[in-house]
Amino acid sequence: MQESYKITDPQVLRAVTHPLRARMLGLLRADGPATASELGRKMGESSGSTSYHLRELFKFGFIEEDDDRRDGRERRWRARHRYTSWNSREMADTAEGREVIRVMRLWQAEALGQIVQEFDESGWSPEWVETAGLSDHIAELPPAGLAEFMARTDEVLRELIARHAGAPDIEQVRIWVGGFPRAREERS
């Protein structure tokens, strides 16, 4: 699996603004290869619906057939990349690009809300309950400072993944990092 899929075309990014496709891609990345039927059962969708959306993800380069674990009756699909990325400045050059970015950010925020809502402390050890959560900060930074923060966050995460690989209490963890300038009218 490649590390990142850097998208420069708003039409390609639009392919994953569909909520079902975004969820399916997320499942393929987190849980590994699956058939349309398997994804349909996990998501409460028909295999016809998931099959259609898998073909769309394939058409735009997000997934590929998993020839290593081929099912005799049905195609098995896998994600081609761990992450999807884009340059917001480049995408924002067109109205279509700005709309796609907005939809993606709203989808990410909605997904985060769902994760927070579904987290049940009673099912986790005290260490996980103490560690899991969100924090927010207000900092005064220039664009270069926020860019450095984002890059260093990524570096620290990669270091921690490598250092803790194979730990007995390892779990998949969803980590969200974001930063937006505060609207000027809020500060008046």
Side-chain angles (χ1 to χ4, degrees):
M1 180 183 295
Q2 297 171 18
E3 188 66 15
S4 181
Y5 185 17
K6 175 105 163 82
I7 298 174
T8 58
D9 181 351
Q11 288 292 329
V12 175
L13 188 56
R14 183 174 299 285
V16 288
T17 61
H18 189 284
L20 187 58
R21 288 183 207 145
R23 285 180 53 216
M24 288 179 6
L25 181 58
L27 285 172
L28 291 173
R29 287 176 173 166
D31 299 342
T35 65
S37 296
E38 291 166 344
L39 288 169
R41 283 190 296 276
K42 280 185 180 181
M43 301 174 73
E45 296 285 334
S46 72
S47 62
S49 175
T50 54
S51 181
Y52 168 76
H53 289 294
L54 285 166
R55 286 192 306 273
E56 289 296 299
L57 289 170
F58 173 75
K59 180 169 85 175
F60 288 101
F62 291 95
I63 64 171
E64 62 191 2
E65 282 191 63
D66 183 10
D67 294 328
D68 300 336
R69 295 177 45 201
R70 192 166 185 89
D71 184 311
R73 301 170 312 233
E74 200 172 3
R75 290 179 177 173
R76 183 167 292 283
W77 299 96
R78 67 179 171 214
R80 291 185 58 208
H81 319 90
R82 292 187 196 289
Y83 307 102
T84 301
S85 66
W86 61 90
N87 182 309
S88 292
R89 181 179 39 80
E90 291 171 5
M91 285 282 189
D93 284 343
T94 66
E96 178 185 26
R98 289 187 296 277
E99 177 63 14
V100 169
I101 291 168
R102 187 186 69 75
V103 170
M104 284 301 293
R105 287 179 180 155
L106 290 172
W107 183 87
Q108 289 170 323
E110 183 179 321
L112 175 59
Q114 186 69 32
I115 290 163
V116 170
Q117 186 173 348
E118 291 173 357
F119 183 70
D120 180 3
E121 288 82 355
S122 68
W124 294 95
S125 69
E127 294 83 8
W128 277 114
V129 172
E130 183 178 343
T131 304
L134 299 169
S135 61
D136 63 340
H137 305 273
I138 295 179
E140 293 183 4
L141 294 170
L146 180 57
E148 181 181 345
F149 172 78
M150 299 299 246
R152 288 179 62 189
T153 300
D154 193 50
E155 290 170 18
V156 169
L157 181 58
R158 289 179 198 283
E159 174 194 320
L160 292 170
I161 290 169
R163 187 178 341 141
H164 294 283
D169 57 348
I170 200 167
E171 296 284 348
Q172 282 187 349
V173 179
R174 295 173 170 132
I175 299 172
W176 298 77
V177 179
F180 295 92
R182 189 171 170 209
R184 287 185 176 99
E185 53 273 2
E186 287 181 30
R187 295 182 271 164
S188 308

